[in-house]
Amino acid sequence: MTQTHADYQLSQLDQLEAESIHIIREVAAEFEKPVLMFSGGKDSIVMLRLAEKAFYPAKIPFPVLQVDTGYDFPEVLSCRDNWVDRTGVRLIIASVEEAIANGVVIDDGKTSRNRMQTGTLLNALEEGGFTAAFGGGRRDEEKARAKERVYSHRDEFGQWDPKMQRPELWSLYNGRLHAGEHMRIFPISNWTELDIWDYLGREGIEIPSIYFSHQRRVFERDGMLLSESDFNPTKAGETVEERTVRFRTVGDLTLTGCVESTASTIPEIIDEVAIARVTERGATRGDDRFSEAAMEDRKKEGYF
């Protein structure tokens, strides 16, 4: 239910929702073939919910695309499938495993599957002829993402140049493209992690169970707690133990850490996030720790 103050102004959460829905509708009207990136994580689920609201009672007029590393958490894939079944949206899966088999990306035994998502994604966008791709990036997540505009231009090679961002004065967006180019769209740029959780709680939205406190066998590596898995063998000196944990973000399970937590409800998670001093990516994403500019380097190559 929409909440208003005594002066009949929308609440902050309703303003964010209205802004995001406006952007989604603008893209659907302006671009010939948009697609929504959908990982099954909390941000992409909020994006799908906003798209659902934007076009209700009609169906969402574009497909969703997941780049599957092969190392995704089963709980996330299950939640993804529930959303696809309920909304009736068309799901496209771009498999890193298939991209390796087809020579789209090269597996040199050193590069992570998460890194190989970039080539897999660019190939899927090109094959599908997509001119705009919605992403769930938020500016509070990471300093490279803080440089993004809502409409993020990508050249014919799928590359991002932070110095060539287009002005967006008065929320006016320039979507002009040359042949081969496409646009990445970030409707929830102005949301924070706390806003996301407030919205999930208000809307009663289904999310993967691993966002809530549970028992899991984990081991410590590089200051993070990683899940025990056949894809993630322990190294010398690493010991596996069962702890009470939850995930703040989800991705490649070989690189995504969890945090010790007893927060098992959304209000408890909101209390936890409100006092956190490190963003979810900074705290638990190993792929952002390779260098100070790891995310920006990947974004320049074509990553979200």
Side-chain angles (χ1 to χ4, degrees):
M1 180 181 295
T2 300
Q3 302 293 319
T4 57
H5 299 294
D7 57 358
Y8 301 102
Q9 295 296 310
L10 292 177
S11 69
Q12 177 191 357
L13 206 55
D14 284 318
Q15 289 182 45
L16 289 170
E17 179 189 67
E19 177 187 52
S20 298
I21 288 175
H22 165 71
I23 293 165
I24 291 169
R25 287 172 175 167
E26 282 289 302
V27 171
E30 183 176 2
F31 290 90
E32 181 180 357
K33 202 171 183 183
V35 65
L36 188 147
M37 297 297 300
F38 187 65
S39 67
K42 66 183 189 307
D43 295 326
S44 65
I45 284 174
V46 166
M47 289 274 295
L48 191 56
R49 174 61 174 158
L50 291 167
E52 192 176 24
K53 282 193 169 188
F55 303 106
Y56 182 83
K59 294 287 188 182
I60 297 171
F62 41 75
V64 297
L65 169 66
Q66 185 207 7
V67 181
D68 181 13
T69 64
Y71 295 163
D72 294 302
F73 291 95
E75 299 91 337
V76 176
L77 297 180
S78 175
C79 188
R80 176 204 69 186
D81 293 340
N82 289 344
W83 273 89
V84 169
D85 290 343
R86 187 182 66 77
T87 59
V89 71
R90 181 166 67 95
L91 171 65
I92 301 168
I93 297 177
S95 167
V96 172
E97 192 72 48
E98 290 182 9
I100 294 171
N102 295 332
V104 174
V105 295
I106 305 299
D107 185 2
D108 58 6
K110 300 177 182 178
T111 305
S112 71
R113 286 291 183 93
N114 196 64
R115 189 96 185 195
M116 285 187 265
Q117 281 183 303
T118 299
T120 308
L121 168 63
L122 293 177
N123 182 67
L125 293 176
E126 183 178 358
E127 283 192 342
F130 297 113
T131 51
F134 292 101
R138 308 187 324 266
R139 292 190 179 117
D140 75 319
E141 285 182 278
E142 205 275 338
K143 56 189 177 183
R145 285 186 166 171
K147 298 179 181 181
E148 284 279 18
R149 302 291 170 85
V150 173
Y151 275 34
S152 179
H153 174 264
R154 303 298 169 109
D155 64 20
E156 63 271 26
F157 301 106
Q159 297 174 327
W160 173 67
D161 185 349
K163 296 179 181 179
M164 294 294 288
Q165 295 287 286
R166 298 174 179 181
E168 293 180 344
L169 300 174
W170 307 293
S171 297
L172 296 175
Y173 307 112
N174 181 354
R176 292 185 179 180
L177 296 172
H178 293 104
E181 299 175 342
H182 72 275
M183 203 72 75
R184 304 284 173 89
I185 312 293
F186 299 102
I188 60 171
S189 289
N190 293 327
W191 296 52
T192 65
E193 184 183 6
L194 195 56
D195 293 326
I196 294 292
W197 281 109
D198 280 336
Y199 193 73
L200 291 170
R202 189 187 82 174
E203 298 287 307
I205 293 174
E206 178 193 3
I207 55 175
S209 59
I210 60 175
Y211 279 114
F212 301 99
S213 176
H214 60 284
Q215 295 294 117
R216 180 172 291 262
R217 288 176 59 80
V218 298
F219 60 92
E220 187 169 344
R221 179 181 295 167
D222 299 328
M224 295 192 304
L225 293 177
L226 298 177
S227 295
E228 179 188 41
S229 167
D230 292 339
F231 302 123
N232 214 12
T234 56
K235 300 177 181 178
E238 296 176 341
T239 58
V240 177
E241 56 184 330
E242 191 167 278
R243 296 196 191 182
T244 303
V245 300
R246 76 174 190 87
F247 287 84
R248 290 180 65 185
T249 182
V250 296
D252 183 332
L253 64 80
T254 66
L255 291 169
T256 304
C258 49
V259 295
E260 291 195 86
S261 171
T262 58
S264 57
T265 66
I266 287 182
E268 289 174 348
I269 291 174
I270 288 173
D271 290 341
E272 191 178 87
V273 170
I275 61 173
R277 292 294 174 264
V278 182
T279 68
E280 67 263 51
R281 290 197 71 94
T284 62
R285 291 298 284 266
D287 44 328
D288 290 343
R289 296 186 175 194
F290 294 129
S291 72
E292 279 293 311
M295 171 64 86
E296 184 160 336
D297 290 342
R298 294 204 311 281
K299 285 178 70 66
K300 287 178 179 178
E301 295 169 0
Y303 186 76
F304 264 93

